[in-house]
Amino acid sequence: MSNTRETILENLFGELNNQMFERRLSMVSVEFSERMTSAAGRYFPQRKLIRLSAPYLRLHGWDKCRNTLIHEMIHADLHVRRKPYGHTPEFKHWLKKLTGEKSIYHHDDMRPYDRPYRHVYTCPRGHKYYRKNRTRRKTSCGQCDKTYNPRYLLKYIGRENV
Ligand SMILES: [Zn+2]
Ligand SMILES: [Zn+2]
């Protein structure tokens, strides 16, 4: 058997299913996605599918990925047992018990995939503002005037790397 990440994932899933979930998740499938960059993992209830982020694996390794897998398996397990399967108190109880984690965020540590630049705006008097996203809304400089003042409209000047 080859040691592709898919094989490792299948084996890990099988082990965890035996050790932690009493084989209740045998009908659930697992896969990696190269395109998943906004979250470390996700469970799709209709398809009984757990999808993990391949970029997340490269960035953080199997230890972190294992916890993400357990996180998604808890969603799947609650679903299979016909319980509410969101981030419920029961979900958090199991997450803490099985991974030691308290945080329920799926997008933990995905920050390197944030855009590497900020949009820069400036007012007529030279105050600078940095935004993650471009805005079409007209905004005036809060340092020149605390209320909206069209004399101090912010003008877009471009991107700056961070
Ligand atoms: Zn979750
Ligand atoms: Zn200003």
Side-chain angles (χ1 to χ4, degrees), residues 44-152:
F44 298 88
Q46 280 88 0
R47 298 162 65 189
K48 291 199 171 63
L49 170 70
I50 289 171
R51 183 174 285 165
L52 297 181
S53 162
Y56 184 86
L57 172 67
R58 278 196 292 276
L59 203 56
H60 296 291
W62 280 102
D63 268 8
K64 285 273 217 159
C65 217
R66 182 177 185 274
N67 277 358
T68 303
L69 179 58
I70 296 171
H71 177 126
E72 302 309 328
M73 288 175 85
I74 298 168
H75 281 306
D77 187 41
L78 291 171
H79 177 235
V80 165
R81 286 154 63 203
R82 298 174 188 281
K83 295 188 163 197
Y85 53 90
H87 295 140
T88 60
E90 188 174 8
F91 177 92
K92 288 174 189 167
H93 165 83
W94 284 108
L95 186 70
K96 182 88 192 352
K97 193 165 169 175
L98 299 179
T99 69
E101 282 184 3
K102 281 188 206 151
S103 162
I104 44 97
Y105 294 108
H106 291 240
H107 47 81
D108 257 7
D109 300 315
M110 292 304 281
R111 264 177 295 274
Y113 292 97
D114 274 359
R115 289 170 204 158
Y117 56 82
R118 295 287 179 268
H119 296 289
V120 190
Y121 292 80
T122 183
C123 82
R125 289 164 65 192
H127 296 122
K128 272 185 163 186
Y129 293 86
Y130 297 88
R131 301 256 159 84
K132 265 183 153 181
N133 300 302
R134 281 197 72 166
T135 165
R136 287 173 191 287
R137 203 159 40 88
K138 285 197 170 178
T139 321
S140 66
C141 179
Q143 293 174 70
C144 290
D145 197 333
K146 294 228 182 315
T147 58
Y148 178 79
N149 185 336
R151 280 171 64 197
Y152 303 118

